[in-house]
Amino acid sequence: MPDKSSVIFNNQIDSKTIKKANKSKAKYIKKYGDDSQKDYKILFQSIDTLDFINADNIVFGDENQKFEKNALIVGNIRMGFGHYRISIAMASAARALGYKPYWLDLASFDATGSKMIREQNDMYSLASRISQKSKLFNRIVWEPLNSEGFKKITYNAKDQKNSELLVPIFKNIDKDIPYIATHVWPSQAAIHAGMTHVVNAIPDNWPMGLHLSEGAIHTVQTPFAYFGYKTLNGFAKKPLNGIPEDQLKMVGCFIDHELLVDLENDNKRRKQRITDGKPLRILMTVGGAGAGFDMFLAMVKHLVPYVKENKAALFINFGDHKDVYDKLCKKVSDIKTVNFFNQYKELKEFVKEIKEGDASGIYAIYNQNIFEAVYSTNLLMPVTDLLVTKPSELAYYPIPKLFMKHIGGHEVYGAINGREYGDSTPERPTKKEINEMLDRLLSDKEIIPHLCDQIDQLKKIGHYNGAYECVKLAIGKK
């Protein structure tokens, strides 16, 4: 196995960093065991929630099951909801282009590498939550780490070494199956394991050493990200060799086929509801890390009077965080919600009803099942008028968006991208600013139709075709 921690895109890494990387890998082996000689058999389980794209989940079993001839693997981890959401988009695009999607969540197994991922994810989620409670921690630690710390090329060395721990999971996976990774660890792991058709789908707009996976095709959503990775500018104090053209492609935004196929008519219905004076349908999402509650609470309190006056209808997807719903109800005493709690089928029927029909009041959505928790937002996007979200993976989705305060400095550039392309508002970092923007969007009937028109134009030029393009690259089609 070539050592990808010592030299990254022909850039020599210093011996001190290499030593730290080796020490990190050794630490996890000591803690969770060495499974490098394990023969993990794999089989498949259907993902019922994603039955419309016929996706199967790869799990460990007693005997190996054979992949279908038109197989495409989506390698991912659960880190919040973002990487799962992008993975669903890739699986959707694969299905639309005639391929059978397989879901490989590297954090889900009883394996050393999986335990390493879960430990790091727990630390990331904890730090994310702390950053929302401590301004000092956020300013001194979290913001710099997410913007500059993860940017350094030396950061990639440790991840490359740790991702070697994931190789045993790939032992019985055919090496020539097209493979799309929606987080860098599944990409690095696939390369270490000898997979030959690997696409590394980079989720953020801020270029970082964290996302480098030499040997894979790096796909980015924006020109800003392309230039950053082409030059690796700012990844070290000295100039670096960048990513060569054959390993870097700008493809557009990673969006599901189901969200694109009828997008123009979704926008027509949005504009018609505004013309008819219907309540503005506002979709809010609670992220997988559960951060940003105070701003979330401030917006709900601010919007309740609008809901009572039938000027707004509020849809809140709590994901798999019912504790956030309970906390919200304690803080907003007069909130009355229509609940879809573990009622995914009922939610699907409700979405069909309000596509052409009316909606009013406050709707709360919660699902224990992770796929249902994530995809409920996708179900609601086509039938709502405005998405309120932090500028993470949802920053690139084709719906008018209002951006909350970012969590982690890297998300800043998702908001910048949205405002420059014109399908969202600028980031509103304070409670006062975001509520003022809500007031403006509710009173000015021309802004959201303008955003809808811009989304239509962006679709025409292929701005949202990134998932399709990733599939084409994975199967070797230029």
Side-chain angles (χ1 to χ4, degrees):
M1 180 191 300
D3 181 10
K4 295 188 176 297
S5 297
S6 301
V7 181
I8 301 170
F9 291 111
N10 290 321
N11 298 293
Q12 181 67 49
I13 303 303
D14 64 278
S15 59
K16 185 178 179 181
T17 297
I18 296 169
K19 185 178 180 179
K20 286 182 178 179
N22 288 321
K23 186 176 180 181
S24 178
K25 179 183 176 181
K27 178 191 72 173
Y28 287 115
I29 291 175
K30 183 178 180 180
K31 187 171 185 178
Y32 297 120
D34 183 354
D35 64 351
S36 58
Q37 301 305 312
K38 283 284 188 73
D39 183 17
Y40 292 122
K41 301 289 194 291
I42 58 170
L43 54 82
F44 315 127
Q45 295 176 344
S46 62
I47 304 174
D48 294 338
T49 304
L50 306 182
D51 57 355
F52 58 96
I53 53 177
N54 193 28
D56 280 354
N57 192 21
I58 299 174
V59 299
F60 287 163
D62 296 328
E63 296 182 1
N64 284 320
Q65 192 171 346
K66 289 188 176 180
F67 288 89
E68 294 188 18
K69 290 183 178 180
N70 63 339
L72 183 145
I73 297 173
V74 181
N76 59 72
I77 64 171
R78 177 180 178 179
M79 180 174 279
F81 285 176
H83 300 284
Y84 257 39
R85 189 179 307 287
I86 297 171
S87 296
I88 293 173
M90 297 301 176
S92 169
R95 176 67 171 175
L97 294 177
Y99 292 85
K100 164 71 175 179
Y102 290 86
W103 189 274
L104 180 64
D105 180 351
L106 292 179
S108 66
F109 298 100
D110 184 20
T112 295
S114 300
K115 293 172 184 176
M116 176 270 296
I117 290 175
R118 292 197 291 272
E119 178 179 319
Q120 292 206 36
N121 186 32
D122 288 345
M123 290 190 295
Y124 185 91
S125 296
L126 175 62
S128 180
R129 290 191 294 272
I130 293 173
S131 74
Q132 299 306 294
K133 297 177 181 178
S134 169
K135 291 182 179 180
L136 185 64
F137 177 83
N138 188 55
R139 179 170 58 84
I140 296 177
V141 178
W142 196 237
E143 285 277 340
L145 178 63
N146 275 274
S147 56
E148 298 302 329
F150 291 157
K151 189 178 184 68
K152 296 177 181 178
I153 194 170
T154 50
Y155 192 90
N156 187 247
K158 184 171 73 171
D159 273 356
Q160 283 282 10
K161 187 57 63 175
N162 286 339
S163 66
E164 292 175 4
L165 297 170
L166 297 160
V167 169
I169 296 171
F170 290 79
K171 181 177 178 62
N172 291 297
I173 295 176
D174 299 337
K175 299 302 181 281
D176 293 330
I177 294 177
Y179 181 99
I180 301 173
T182 59
H183 185 282
V184 72
W185 293 335
S187 178
Q188 292 168 350
I191 294 296
H192 287 309
M195 300 291 287
T196 59
H197 292 74
V198 180
V199 169
N200 175 28
I202 296 174
D204 294 316
N205 194 30
W206 176 240
M208 295 189 286
L210 168 70
H211 292 304
L212 298 178
S213 177
E214 187 172 3
I217 298 175
H218 296 64
T219 57
V220 296
Q221 302 181 84
T222 71
F224 181 79
Y226 172 86
F227 188 83
Y229 288 106
K230 192 74 180 71
T231 62
L232 297 188
N233 185 45
F235 283 50
K237 292 181 179 179
K238 63 180 182 180
L240 299 173
N241 297 307
I243 300 180
E245 188 67 22
D246 63 343
Q247 292 189 50
L248 178 64
K249 305 294 178 184
M250 187 181 78
V251 296
C253 301
F254 306 142
I255 308 299
D256 312 61
H257 172 74
E258 289 73 25
L259 293 177
L260 293 175
V261 67
D262 199 35
L263 179 58
E264 292 87 351
N265 285 325
D266 293 337
N267 281 327
K268 285 181 182 178
R269 283 185 283 269
R270 288 182 179 115
K271 292 191 287 186
Q272 191 62 51
R273 284 193 290 267
I274 290 174
T275 298
D276 294 343
K278 302 288 186 179
L280 186 71
R281 299 177 179 183
I282 301 172
L283 172 59
M284 303 173 70
T285 62
V286 176
F293 177 80
D294 288 344
M295 182 169 279
F296 191 83
L297 172 63
M299 286 188 290
V300 172
K301 284 183 174 180
H302 188 76
L303 287 168
V304 166
Y306 283 107
V307 174
K308 291 179 177 179
E309 295 171 7
N310 210 32
K311 293 180 179 178
L314 189 55
F315 300 80
I316 310 174
N317 182 14
F318 291 92
D320 56 358
H321 295 275
K322 189 174 179 294
D323 58 316
V324 180
Y325 169 81
D326 295 334
K327 187 177 177 181
L328 182 70
C329 289
K330 290 179 181 178
K331 297 287 185 177
V332 187
S333 57
D334 61 344
I335 188 173
K336 295 180 180 179
T337 61
V338 176
N339 294 344
F340 290 96
F341 286 3
N342 296 313
Q343 294 178 305
Y344 188 71
K345 291 181 180 178
E346 289 82 356
L347 178 65
K348 289 167 72 174
E349 290 302 314
F350 172 70
V351 166
K352 290 178 183 178
E353 292 173 10
I354 66 170
K355 185 174 183 178
E356 302 287 350
D358 292 334
S360 60
I362 300 176
Y363 303 87
I365 300 95
Y366 158 80
N367 289 281
Q368 287 177 309
N369 180 287
I370 179 61
F371 293 103
E372 295 175 359
V374 173
Y375 205 75
S376 291
T377 294
N378 287 47
L379 289 176
L380 288 162
M381 272 193 274
V383 298
T384 49
D385 304 320
L386 177 69
L387 173 65
V388 181
T389 179
K390 66 188 184 76
S392 54
E393 83 289 343
L394 283 170
Y396 307 91
Y397 276 67
I399 177 174
K401 294 173 289 291
L402 167 57
F403 287 136
M404 300 167 55
K405 187 182 188 303
H406 64 273
I407 299 176
H410 60 297
E411 290 186 350
V412 171
Y413 294 85
I416 291 172
N417 180 76
R419 80 185 188 200
E420 293 300 321
Y421 274 100
D423 61 359
S424 70
T425 72
E427 180 182 348
R428 302 289 86 188
T430 68
K431 299 172 189 177
K432 180 176 182 291
E433 288 174 306
I434 202 162
N435 283 335
E436 286 176 348
M437 183 58 72
L438 283 167
D439 290 339
R440 176 57 63 88
L441 292 169
L442 282 155
S443 62
D444 190 328
K445 306 300 183 182
E446 297 176 348
I447 297 177
I448 288 179
H450 171 78
L451 297 177
C452 290
D453 290 341
Q454 183 62 13
I455 289 169
D456 286 343
Q457 291 301 314
L458 290 171
K459 183 187 176 183
K460 286 180 182 178
I461 63 173
H463 181 72
Y464 302 114
N465 285 352
Y468 300 123
E469 297 302 318
C470 285
V471 172
K472 293 175 184 177
L473 288 167
I475 65 175
K477 184 178 180 181
K478 296 183 181 179

